[in-house]
Amino acid sequence: MSSLLSSSIGKKLLMGLSGLFLILFLLIHLAINSLMLVPDGGETFNAAAHFMITNPIIKVTEPLLAIGFLVHIIYGFMLTIQNRKARGKDRYASGNKTSGVTWASQNMLILGITLLAFLILHLAHYWVKIKITGDPLLDPVMVNLAGVETMVDNAYALVNTSFGYLWIVIVYAVAGIGLALHLSHGFWSAFQTVGFSNNIWRKRLTAIGQIYAWFVGLGFSLIAVLQYLFYQG
Amino acid sequence: MEKNINITLKVWRQKNAREKGRFETYQVKDVSTGSSFLEMMDILNEQLINEGNEPVAFDHDCREGICGMCSLYINGRPHGPDDGVTTCQLHMRKFKDGDTIWIEPWRSAGFPVIKDLIVDRTAFDKIIASGGYVSVNTGGVPDANAIPIPKPDADEAMDAASCIGCGACVAACKNGSAMLFVSAKVSQLALLPQGKVEAARRAKNMVAKMDELGFGNCTNTGACEVECPKGISVAHIARLNREFLKAKVQD
């Protein structure tokens, strides 16, 4: 096992597997976020958020998610440092005129660092407030959970209020596009790295990857913009 | 139509591995567009010798695109502006009168410059020596129908075997990765019955040697595939990943 993880392909396997895990997570995250668009003053969203916080399965997967992020970020930096070393100090004076290589595939680290900066801001905005410090906006409200009136944190108020600030909406919208670009290469690349690709599946995976990437990325952006435009006050 | 063109060359000159290199500018006049790129280099060298200067050192051998000896990073691309050809198959008709052509060696930590445009590619030989062969005795030539091989497998193995080991993939890769080369060498044998016997050992040893020699990690940009003169597909890299992971899991 140790020799696997010290090999180039082993390290990339970790990168690919953690990437696939995060791809799955993003789908669930987007599904929950989309409930913010239900025009009931956030009752559905609060119920879903409450379910996500209290659900025992989530309690187990939350640390797993943190590990997934950490592995992906740490190995991303580690592999890039190795790759720069392998490339050597000398650059081509005549530049790089290879055609047909996507911009995203060559800038995964830059896109990743952008997303990391966003992630820190994002966690400070919500996760820290919900899990640690608390916030007056979170004051519990009554929601109907499967027929039972329950007191839950008003997560919707916290999110809704922050999406009232234009700069936050712009940051989220831009991060959504950055995420789409990162995923537009990351999706098929993860499958290729774990060995699940050939000439036929490559076409399928890149197509599915593009659809997934822009659906998820623009989905997050759109929810933030719609919250700003139509869900205030 | 054939005609003659005048060109300006910016050529990387470097005395030896230790000394710092630099670009030198040369004018070459009346080059026929029907001549090959390496013939143009020969004309340049004749010119330099007649002027009493040292000719430019560059790798070449068969000059018909099958030996993998020629290299050169020309105007931003390994093997120059044409697709699917080696530098020796590149013709001057791809350039226009008055063009400035930049000629550089492969750049990668795994391929240090020896002199001028020649780089040390023995790293590839070392990777092959670590497992890119079949060591089981397969006896004399068997009848073609003795071991049936599905046509798609045979075709894919042949496609992989067309790799000439020129190193354009490493030269094009932003990570200095040799994965396309190694994957072609693993694929050409892993797909065939004679090669399957040692498939696990081969994948492990060749990847270990590749890592040891300081080649980078593949990030699937696909630049290698675009610049490969033989059109080796990155699908072989997926197969190499599969073969390697399978071998490691079996341990």
Side-chain angles (χ1 to χ4, degrees):
Chain A
M1 231 4 215
S2 67
S3 76
L4 169 64
L5 296 185
S6 62
S7 70
S8 58
I9 295 179
K11 277 178 259 179
K12 275 159 31 57
L13 176 73
L14 282 181
M15 204 64 193
L17 288 179
S18 58
L20 287 172
F21 178 60
L22 296 177
I23 278 170
L24 207 63
F25 157 75
L26 284 172
L27 263 191
I28 298 165
H29 192 337
L30 180 66
I32 304 274
N33 277 22
S34 66
L35 297 177
M36 267 188 263
L37 300 180
V38 179
D40 60 357
E43 200 167 310
T44 315
F45 179 74
N46 279 338
H50 179 75
F51 172 76
M52 292 306 279
I53 290 165
T54 53
N55 187 333
I57 298 170
I58 301 296
K59 283 208 194 305
V60 179
T61 46
E62 197 180 22
L64 210 63
L65 183 65
I67 293 167
F69 268 108
L70 282 177
V71 165
H72 200 73
I73 292 163
I74 292 167
Y75 274 82
F77 279 110
M78 219 160 73
L79 287 165
T80 309
I81 290 167
Q82 278 188 352
N83 289 346
R84 294 185 76 98
K85 215 176 115 202
R87 190 75 199 79
K89 286 191 294 289
D90 298 309
R91 293 280 167 272
Y92 290 115
S94 56
N96 174 6
K97 299 206 175 59
T98 302
S99 56
V101 177
T102 61
W103 181 85
S105 74
Q106 294 191 301
N107 292 283
M108 288 301 271
L109 183 79
I110 290 160
L111 288 166
I113 290 172
T114 312
L115 293 174
L116 176 61
F118 169 78
L119 181 68
I120 293 166
L121 185 79
H122 183 54
L123 288 177
H125 264 157
Y126 304 126
W127 186 83
V128 171
K129 287 182 182 165
I130 292 170
K131 292 279 187 174
I132 303 168
T133 58
D135 194 278
L137 285 166
L138 283 168
D139 280 347
V141 287
M142 279 290 194
V143 295
N144 192 330
L145 283 182
V148 186
E149 291 289 322
T150 317
M151 291 284 275
V152 303
D153 281 348
N154 195 355
Y156 180 80
L158 183 69
V159 179
N160 182 254
T161 308
S162 63
F163 282 155
Y165 296 98
L166 184 61
W167 73 270
I168 292 182
V169 174
I170 292 173
V171 166
Y172 273 70
V174 170
I177 293 167
L179 179 65
L181 285 168
H182 194 74
L183 291 168
S184 70
H185 176 68
F187 188 93
W188 103 270
S189 184
F191 282 97
Q192 167 88 356
T193 297
V194 301
F196 184 83
S197 185
N198 56 31
N199 280 325
I200 299 164
W201 274 95
R202 183 188 181 184
K203 292 194 197 87
R204 291 177 187 163
L205 288 169
T206 36
I208 299 166
Q210 290 295 334
I211 294 166
Y212 168 86
W214 291 100
F215 176 76
V216 169
L218 293 183
F220 282 121
S221 296
L222 194 66
I223 290 169
V225 171
L226 290 177
Q227 274 279 322
Y228 177 74
L229 292 178
F230 302 112
Y231 290 80
Q232 296 302 320
Chain B
M1 275 301 288
E2 259 182 54
K3 54 175 186 176
N4 289 351
I5 57 173
N6 300 322
I7 47 172
T8 306
L9 301 177
K10 301 267 185 188
V11 184
W12 183 259
R13 300 303 304 264
Q14 187 172 338
K15 251 201 168 84
N16 54 48
R18 256 171 265 115
E19 254 165 83
K20 249 177 94 85
R22 78 216 168 271
F23 283 97
E24 288 284 344
T25 309
Y26 302 108
Q27 307 288 337
V28 185
K29 294 197 162 50
D30 280 331
V31 180
S32 163
T33 51
S35 61
S36 78
F37 196 85
L38 294 187
E39 281 166 346
M40 184 277 292
M41 293 297 287
D42 294 338
I43 294 168
L44 167 69
N45 278 346
E46 285 289 326
Q47 201 175 299
L48 288 172
I49 291 165
N50 289 339
E51 290 164 359
N53 294 319
E54 204 182 341
V56 178
F58 63 93
D59 269 327
H60 62 103
D61 193 4
C62 76
R63 299 211 177 192
E64 53 185 12
I66 54 170
C67 76
M69 204 54 211
C70 61
S71 53
L72 306 188
Y73 194 91
I74 304 159
N75 281 355
R77 294 183 64 186
H79 294 301
D82 210 351
D83 290 322
V85 297
T86 54
T87 293
C88 64
Q89 296 169 298
L90 176 68
H91 281 78
M92 293 311 292
R93 67 179 80 99
K94 287 282 165 187
F95 301 93
K96 287 194 290 293
D97 192 39
D99 272 2
T100 299
I101 305 171
W102 290 81
I103 309 171
E104 302 173 64
W106 284 174
R107 297 255 185 236
S108 172
F111 290 161
V113 173
I114 298 171
K115 186 184 169 69
D116 293 342
L117 300 169
I118 298 179
V119 296
D120 182 356
R121 286 176 283 182
T122 44
F124 271 13
D125 298 333
K126 288 178 191 159
I127 293 173
I128 292 290
S130 71
Y133 48 81
V134 171
S135 59
V136 288
N137 188 353
T138 53
V141 180
D143 285 337
N145 61 355
I147 310 169
I149 297 164
K151 176 82 166 110
D153 287 358
D155 284 350
E156 228 178 329
M158 274 305 281
D159 287 347
S162 66
C163 167
I164 53 176
C166 65
C169 44
V170 177
C173 179
K174 77 176 182 68
N175 309 321
S177 168
M179 282 287 276
L180 192 68
F181 167 75
V182 177
S183 72
K185 299 303 172 194
V186 164
S187 272
Q188 65 181 4
L189 296 172
L191 283 158
L192 301 175
Q194 291 90 339
K196 276 190 180 127
V197 183
E198 295 165 292
R201 194 174 71 193
R202 179 181 308 113
K204 281 187 294 186
N205 289 350
M206 290 181 83
V207 169
K209 187 50 89 176
M210 171 187 87
D211 291 350
E212 180 198 315
L213 293 168
F215 289 103
N217 310 287
C218 175
T219 57
N220 306 321
T221 68
C224 52
E225 177 187 69
V226 177
E227 296 301 356
C228 176
K230 298 296 159 186
I232 304 288
S233 162
V234 295
H236 294 298
I237 295 182
R239 178 174 299 103
L240 170 61
N241 291 338
R242 269 199 304 279
E243 291 286 332
F244 179 80
L245 294 171
K246 215 163 61 188
K248 282 289 182 186
V249 167
Q250 278 165 3
D251 282 353

